[in-house]
Amino acid sequence: MREPYDDRSGRARTVTRRQALGIGGVLGLVAAGGLSASAALARRTPFTGAELRSAVPLPPAFQVPLPLPSVLAPVSTSGGADRYEITQREATVEILPGVRTPLWTYEGAFPGPTIESRRGRPVTVTHRNDLPVPTVVHLHGGRTPAESDGYPTDLVLPEGWPDAAHVTHTGAGGPGHVRHDPRAVLTKLSRDYTFPLDQRPALLWYHDHRMDFTAPAIWRGLAGLHIVRDDAEDSLGLPAGRRELPLMIADRAFTADGDLDYPALDPTSRARPGVREPYLAGVLGDVILVNGAPWPVYEADAARYRLRILNASNARHYELEAITDDGRRLDLVQIGADQGLLAAPVTHRLLPIAPAERYDVIIDFSGVRVGSRVRVVNRLGSGRTRDVMAFRVAREVTDDSRVPSVLSTDLPTWRRSDAVRVRDFSFRAGRMHGGHGWLIGGLPFDPARSDVTAGFGDVEVWRLIADVHHPVHLHLVGFRVLSRRGRPPLPHDAGLKDTVSLRPGESVEIITRFDGYRGRYLFHCHNAEHEDMGMMANLEII
Ligand SMILES: [Cu+2]
């Protein structure tokens, strides 16, 4: 059964029924018929979660120009390292035309400012927390020492936050279950995060990672891009400069007042984590934002573009395709994955992208009639959520960019026989502290528990199995996908990844090597609501 994601088949798949699979349904099915029965039903659903409906009038698609996040200037570049300062603060931003929306931001903007960096040149970012709640910054995809990796209890406390006693956590099941982390490193007001960036060039992103409250923090705006480059990539001749576009895709919903809507049990994010009952499987919005603008449009040259796509949505999956006004589908030529360049380009007509995944894609507008439009649509959406953005091809130009047939030669070549260990992890709904939860190996996250201890330098194979959609992310290391459902990986699994999309009922094998740094890291589901409701585990490298 490959057809839902078989991007080479060219078959149209019509979603006739939009079924939001709530956790109650999952639990019932798991109880009644086991994993396979729930998976058989879930496989027919294009997403896991429930959609909020905005109460404010929404703008027509393809009217708002695509914004490009500003690039942050370093405060210092001396001593072989770049230093940046970011203030986390509340700001009111115009996302929908004429509507003012209060957000939590990095430097007053959503997305936050982009950090541009070079491989092997360290970057230190001083984050100051002027928000009303504790925060934690994680650089997703970064090869980062543990003390700067943003462990979910390594909180930066805001001014006036009562004291450390108030940052112990109650589980999503409510008060009464206090989880204490004796290893947490708290700082007051600000913290320096140091990123060596000794890693393959890639599109990374930074976002909040506070224990139990990551989902509402990202939803409110705490996300930004971080790009790592190197000379080898620069010399390939890929589209660059104004023909390289970062695209952070995220869905949101708005109240009648123009605020972001989010079904939090505690709208202040101060004490009680979790979301209301219909949204336990994930929160979806009915407005698709790209770089913080609703269904934007970009005036493009009739030339190749490099699109660096991030799905920064909490729970929404996309299957992207690019369609011309005369109904032609343009090739999406994938050149890179989460952790940088592929060995060779892979051509897709349809590109699935799960929360937190990144795809580096070349699209060629040279054959598109000037004055016409190319729509980027999500085949998993319906109604307004089917549209993502559009390109209006504005002018003929000369284009000296190219897409080499060899993109990189440094991808890890781990083989099954290199693995010193095989581990199995299930990602499933379950009970947690007397309430609903999402569990790894039957357990909800506990920072004080040891889950996985891996030897430094060890190669391991992990077998992951899911009930519903779970995009699984490992901190620190990149991995390769070995198999899906016992079969070879799909075309979009190519390259080095740090997040893999488990589809309902699916088992996926990955292989990695635990190196870089020793210390306490994490792996977790990147459906942000699942993550907050227990679907996270410790990964200690010794
Ligand atoms: Cu999940």
Side-chain angles (χ1 to χ4, degrees):
M1 261 266 304
R2 288 187 55 180
E3 85 273 9
Y5 286 80
D6 187 348
D7 52 349
R8 305 308 301 271
S9 73
R11 270 176 294 177
R13 185 169 65 89
T14 308
V15 177
T16 54
R17 186 173 54 126
R18 298 196 68 198
Q19 182 178 5
L21 190 67
I23 188 172
V26 176
L27 287 171
L29 282 158
V30 170
L35 181 63
S36 58
S38 82
L41 178 71
R43 196 169 294 142
R44 295 202 298 270
T45 70
F47 54 84
T48 292
E51 188 173 288
L52 288 163
R53 287 298 158 95
S54 293
V56 67
L58 300 177
F62 318 140
Q63 302 290 316
V64 179
L66 175 76
L68 295 173
S70 65
V71 174
L72 192 62
V75 294
S76 140
T77 58
S78 61
D82 297 334
R83 291 189 60 89
Y84 293 88
E85 291 174 359
I86 290 179
T87 300
Q88 306 171 2
R89 60 180 173 87
E90 295 179 284
T92 297
V93 173
E94 185 176 311
I95 296 176
L96 304 176
V99 176
R100 292 166 60 77
T101 301
L103 299 176
W104 289 355
T105 70
Y106 296 115
E107 287 290 304
F110 173 70
T114 299
I115 294 181
E116 284 273 359
S117 56
R118 304 295 295 184
R119 178 180 197 157
R121 184 176 168 88
V123 162
T124 296
V125 186
T126 301
H127 275 272
R128 180 188 163 91
N129 180 8
D130 282 351
L131 291 168
V133 297
T135 61
V136 176
V137 180
H138 170 59
L139 178 61
H140 182 122
R143 303 263 287 156
T144 306
E147 62 271 20
S148 285
D149 195 52
Y151 192 83
T153 53
D154 287 350
L155 302 171
V156 182
L157 307 178
E159 186 81 61
W161 191 260
D163 59 39
H166 286 75
V167 300
T168 53
H169 300 270
T170 58
H177 186 95
V178 175
R179 285 170 289 169
H180 181 63
D181 179 12
R183 293 167 73 181
V185 178
L186 306 176
T187 57
K188 287 200 169 168
L189 210 52
S190 83
R191 181 171 179 131
D192 285 358
Y193 293 88
T194 294
F195 307 110
L197 302 174
D198 183 10
Q199 61 184 97
R200 305 181 86 231
L203 173 67
L204 315 179
W205 63 301
Y206 60 100
H207 62 75
D208 198 68
H209 214 307
R210 175 187 170 204
M211 183 159 149
D212 295 340
F213 295 95
T214 291
I218 294 177
W219 186 271
R220 282 171 181 258
L222 292 178
L225 302 174
H226 184 137
I227 300 176
V228 185
R229 303 182 188 277
D230 75 356
D231 295 346
E233 185 180 292
D234 290 350
S235 70
L236 292 176
L238 297 167
R242 35 182 298 275
R243 294 197 195 133
E244 177 189 339
L245 302 175
L247 302 176
M248 178 197 278
I249 305 174
D251 58 340
R252 295 290 186 271
F254 296 82
T255 69
D257 295 334
D259 295 344
L260 288 178
D261 197 6
Y262 188 82
L265 294 177
D266 172 4
T268 70
S269 282
R270 290 180 70 87
R272 188 172 183 207
V275 292
R276 297 195 308 268
E277 167 72 33
Y279 302 95
L280 294 169
V283 179
L284 309 176
D286 61 351
V287 178
I288 307 300
L289 305 177
V290 184
N291 296 343
W295 303 288
V297 61
Y298 186 78
E299 294 244 321
D301 300 337
R304 283 190 204 90
Y305 277 78
R306 179 180 184 186
L307 307 180
R308 312 200 66 172
I309 306 169
L310 159 68
N311 180 358
S313 307
N314 280 24
R316 184 180 288 279
H317 289 244
Y318 302 78
E319 278 182 11
L320 301 176
E321 60 183 353
I323 306 173
T324 63
D325 282 343
D326 49 8
R328 222 160 27 95
R329 283 207 290 190
L330 297 186
D331 283 348
L332 301 171
V333 179
Q334 186 190 351
I335 57 166
D338 304 329
Q339 287 285 314
L341 291 169
L342 306 182
V346 177
T347 299
H348 306 277
R349 308 300 297 277
L350 185 60
L351 188 62
I353 177 165
E357 283 190 308
R358 286 91 72 213
Y359 285 91
D360 200 342
V361 169
I362 305 292
I363 190 166
D364 189 351
F365 298 125
S366 65
V368 177
R369 186 171 48 82
V370 167
S372 71
R373 223 168 44 179
V374 175
R375 284 179 305 129
V376 178
V377 304
N378 173 20
R379 295 226 314 190
L380 301 180
S382 65
R384 297 297 315 265
T385 63
R386 199 167 170 86
D387 290 326
V388 175
M389 67 170 292
F391 294 90
R392 186 175 295 115
V393 178
R395 59 194 86 80
E396 299 279 0
V397 291
T398 56
D399 182 5
D400 57 2
S401 72
R402 54 202 189 90
V403 183
S405 56
V406 175
L407 295 163
S408 72
T409 54
D410 66 333
L411 281 170
T413 53
W414 307 304
R415 284 169 314 200
R416 231 174 246 285
S417 55
D418 298 330
V420 300
R421 204 166 289 102
V422 177
R423 301 184 200 258
D424 290 278
F425 299 100
S426 64
F427 290 76
R428 295 181 189 175
R431 305 289 293 176
M432 165 176 159
H433 318 317
H436 295 304
W438 294 96
L439 314 178
I440 300 176
L443 297 172
F445 180 57
D446 180 347
R449 187 182 63 229
S450 174
D451 295 300
V452 170
T453 303
F456 186 90
D458 282 359
V459 175
E460 297 195 2
V461 169
W462 286 15
R463 296 193 293 223
L464 316 170
I465 184 164
D467 56 357
V468 293
H469 290 94
H470 296 295
V472 175
H473 170 48
L474 273 62
H475 285 215
L476 183 65
V477 291
F479 55 77
R480 305 203 69 174
V481 179
L482 281 178
S483 74
R484 279 185 187 266
R485 289 190 195 134
R487 297 199 203 161
L490 295 174
H492 67 270
D493 291 325
L496 192 64
K497 295 182 60 62
D498 58 45
T499 306
V500 62
S501 178
L502 307 187
R503 298 171 302 176
E506 193 169 57
S507 64
V508 169
E509 288 181 303
I510 61 171
I511 186 167
T512 189
R513 182 169 189 265
F514 294 100
D515 59 11
Y517 305 95
R518 291 178 169 82
R520 182 169 68 152
Y521 293 90
L522 291 166
F523 64 104
H524 61 88
C525 178
H526 223 293
N527 174 314
E529 281 76 31
H530 296 190
E531 173 180 346
D532 281 350
M533 283 180 268
M535 199 164 255
M536 198 150 61
N538 286 305
L539 164 60
E540 180 110 21
I541 296 158
I542 59 167

